[in-house]
Amino acid sequence: MADATSSSASSAASPTFDEVFCGLLPRLYRRAVMLAGSRQSAEDVVHEAYLRLAARPQRFLAHPEPYAYAFTAVLNVARDTYRKDRRQVLVDVMDGVEDAGAGGGGAGSGVAGGGWDGGVERRQAEIEAVRLLGKLSHRQAGIVILVDLDGYTIDQAAKIMKVHRGTAARHRARALDRLRAYLVESEHGQAGR
């Protein structure tokens, strides 16, 4: 009887692999959507990352920052998936994104006075962020997500992605330049209509 209470006390003191990973799931899913481009692809990416991490749970649990370790696994899976998909016949992905944005616009038009729109505006912003991040390489998107969305420093992001600080800074600078160029290009395209 004493063994049962001591084992339950030790399990309460140290969380299990599943408990820690499940605590990170919402954040990992949000970031995976930005890397993978769609919700279903993101679910596949996170699931594959889970399987990779579950093979060596002690490494994940011993890491000083489990989110960073899990994000690296998600980034690697997304990059591997992209490389596999790149060899296949490409299909225009923007049709689905435009349809989702167009369907959401009608729902928000019924709200008077600029009140709460049911999350349509936020969803449209997320779709736009996913579209823009999809124009970047996986490393560039990863650095932008870690630094600009998750709040890590360049040094921390470089360590998470296992690259030199200068490489991380260069990837981020190039990514931000590309994003600015896309935004300027899209503004000029809309002004010409």
Side-chain angles (χ1 to χ4, degrees):
M1 194 59 129
D3 291 334
T5 58
S6 65
S7 66
S8 66
S10 67
S11 67
S14 61
T16 66
F17 172 80
D18 286 335
E19 290 171 342
V20 174
F21 192 86
C22 288
L24 300 173
L25 273 178
R27 193 170 172 193
L28 289 174
Y29 276 130
R30 284 193 303 273
R31 300 313 180 217
V33 167
M34 293 178 173
L35 292 169
S38 73
R39 186 176 180 177
Q40 185 172 5
S41 297
E43 289 174 358
D44 293 342
V45 166
V46 172
H47 182 262
E48 181 64 30
Y50 171 84
L51 294 176
R52 287 185 184 183
L53 294 174
R56 294 188 182 103
Q58 61 279 15
R59 284 186 181 179
F60 174 71
L61 292 172
H63 197 275
E65 198 166 347
Y67 169 75
Y69 195 81
F71 178 80
T72 302
V74 166
L75 184 64
N76 290 337
V77 170
R79 185 182 59 237
D80 293 346
T81 303
Y82 171 75
R83 287 178 179 164
K84 288 178 193 172
D85 291 346
R86 190 173 56 181
R87 293 184 217 126
Q88 302 198 5
V89 177
L90 296 177
V91 178
D92 189 13
V93 183
M94 295 311 297
D95 289 340
V97 174
E98 289 172 12
D99 292 342
S109 62
V111 177
W116 185 68
D117 65 353
V120 173
E121 186 175 334
R122 179 181 174 161
R123 181 65 184 139
Q124 287 174 335
E126 289 172 354
I127 290 170
E128 181 66 11
V130 168
R131 186 183 70 80
L132 289 172
L133 286 171
K135 295 179 181 276
L136 303 175
S137 73
H138 279 85
R139 277 202 175 163
Q140 289 174 341
I143 290 289
V144 168
I145 288 171
L146 286 171
V147 174
D148 298 303
L149 298 177
D150 289 339
Y152 287 99
T153 64
I154 292 285
D155 291 327
Q156 292 168 327
K159 188 174 181 179
I160 289 168
M161 295 192 59
K162 296 181 177 121
V163 296
H164 188 272
R165 183 197 190 288
T167 303
R170 187 175 66 246
H171 281 305
R172 181 171 177 262
R174 288 180 179 167
L176 294 177
D177 286 344
R178 284 180 75 178
L179 291 174
R180 283 185 201 102
Y182 289 131
L183 291 174
V184 168
E185 182 181 302
S186 66
E187 285 178 9
H188 288 306
Q190 289 178 355
R193 286 186 191 177

